[in-house]
């Protein structure tokens, strides 16, 4: 199985944070942690959080990370190009990530961003992802009864591979529940995702 690494993106003056993470749930793998709740929806469970997914959404689990596809997707992987989805990470994907002789852990101060050479733009594999450094929206968001997530929205750009021209812009949204050890990441501005999270149940 091919490996992908993740980092927390930080400004150049701050050390880059990288960690190996299992990836690549091949297209066509059966959904994991999902049960049928009606003909039109399914319930997806992860670390005690239960989300009612609309018809057409499908969860693909790979270890402590899940890609929930919401539209067209040939390769359901975190940060893969041309895969309409959002991603759910458990703490092993963002905790004690090795940096030099030490380690760092995601806290929401910097955005969660993949690192494996040149990263393609989510919408066009022929352009590159240029991450922003300052969140444009922050606060707390409800994720079911008794649970509030730290929310950050990060501006990003797609640029030509020589870095000379911006071709598109998008926002990476993050919901972080440190006590439940869950991070949800969305770069597609997925319609209805905020409401799905708001209506979560816990077990």
């Amino acid at each position: 199985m091919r490996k992908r690494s993740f980092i927390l993106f930080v400004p150049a003056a701050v050390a880059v944070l990288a960690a190996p993470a299992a990836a690549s749930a091949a297209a066509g793998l059966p959904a994991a942690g999902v049960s049928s709740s009606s003909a039109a929806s399914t319930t997806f469970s992860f670390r005690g959080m239960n989300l009612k997914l609309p018809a057409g959404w499908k969860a693909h689990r790979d270890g402590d990370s899940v890609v929930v596809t919401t539209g067209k997707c040939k390769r359901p992987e975190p940060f893969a190009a041309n895969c309409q989805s959002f991603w759910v990470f458990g703490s092993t994907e963002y905790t004690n990530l090795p940096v030099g002789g030490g380690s760092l852990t995601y806290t929401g101060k910097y955005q969660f961003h993949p690192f494996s050479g040149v990263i393609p733009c989510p919408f066009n594999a022929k352009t590159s992802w240029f991450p922003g450094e300052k969140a444009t929206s922050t606060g707390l968001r409800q994720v079911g009864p008794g649970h509030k997530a730290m929310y950050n929205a990060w501006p990003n750009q797609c640029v030509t591979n020589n870095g000379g021209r911006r071709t598109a812009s998008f926002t990476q949204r993050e919901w972080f529940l440190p006590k439940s050890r869950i991070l949800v990441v969305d770069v597609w501005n997925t319609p209805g995702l905020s409401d799905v999270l708001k209506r979560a149940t816990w077990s």
Side-chain angles (χ1 to χ4, degrees):
M1 180 177 289
R2 187 164 58 87
K3 299 287 185 179
R4 178 181 293 269
S5 295
F6 293 98
I7 69 166
L8 307 182
F9 175 79
V10 297
V14 183
V16 171
L17 170 55
S24 187
L29 279 179
V34 177
S35 61
S36 296
S37 59
S38 72
S41 63
T42 57
T43 298
F44 158 60
S45 299
F46 185 83
R47 287 179 172 260
M49 178 180 70
N50 309 302
L51 302 180
K52 189 174 182 179
L53 304 181
W57 292 19
K58 186 176 181 180
H60 306 260
R61 186 188 296 272
D62 185 14
D64 207 20
S65 67
V66 180
V67 174
V68 180
T69 53
T70 59
K72 293 182 178 179
C73 179
K74 293 183 178 180
R75 183 165 55 96
E77 292 183 8
F79 299 96
N82 301 312
C83 178
Q84 296 178 32
S85 60
F86 64 93
W87 317 304
V88 185
F89 300 103
S91 58
T92 59
E93 300 291 338
Y94 62 76
T95 301
N96 294 326
L97 308 183
V99 177
S103 64
L104 290 176
T105 294
Y106 173 86
T107 63
K109 185 176 181 180
Y110 304 109
Q111 75 170 300
F112 192 68
H113 186 73
F115 178 79
S116 57
V118 176
I119 305 303
C121 177
F123 325 112
N124 184 347
K126 295 182 179 180
T127 59
S128 300
W129 183 323
F130 186 81
E133 298 181 359
K134 185 177 181 180
T136 56
S137 179
T138 62
L140 296 176
R141 297 291 188 274
Q142 199 73 38
V143 181
H147 292 74
K148 288 189 177 181
M150 299 168 54
Y151 175 81
N152 290 291
W154 301 89
N156 294 280
Q157 298 179 6
C158 298
V159 299
T160 54
N161 286 331
N162 62 8
R165 183 170 61 88
R166 185 180 73 175
T167 61
S169 61
F170 63 96
T171 298
Q172 175 165 304
R173 301 186 295 170
E174 300 174 353
W175 292 260
F176 181 43
L177 296 114
K179 290 184 178 180
S180 303
R181 297 179 295 176
I182 296 172
L183 171 64
V184 179
V185 180
D186 175 42
V187 299
W188 285 86
N189 194 28
T190 302
L193 177 55
S194 294
D195 289 336
V196 166
L197 292 170
K198 191 180 299 181
R199 294 194 296 267
T201 60
W202 293 85
S203 57

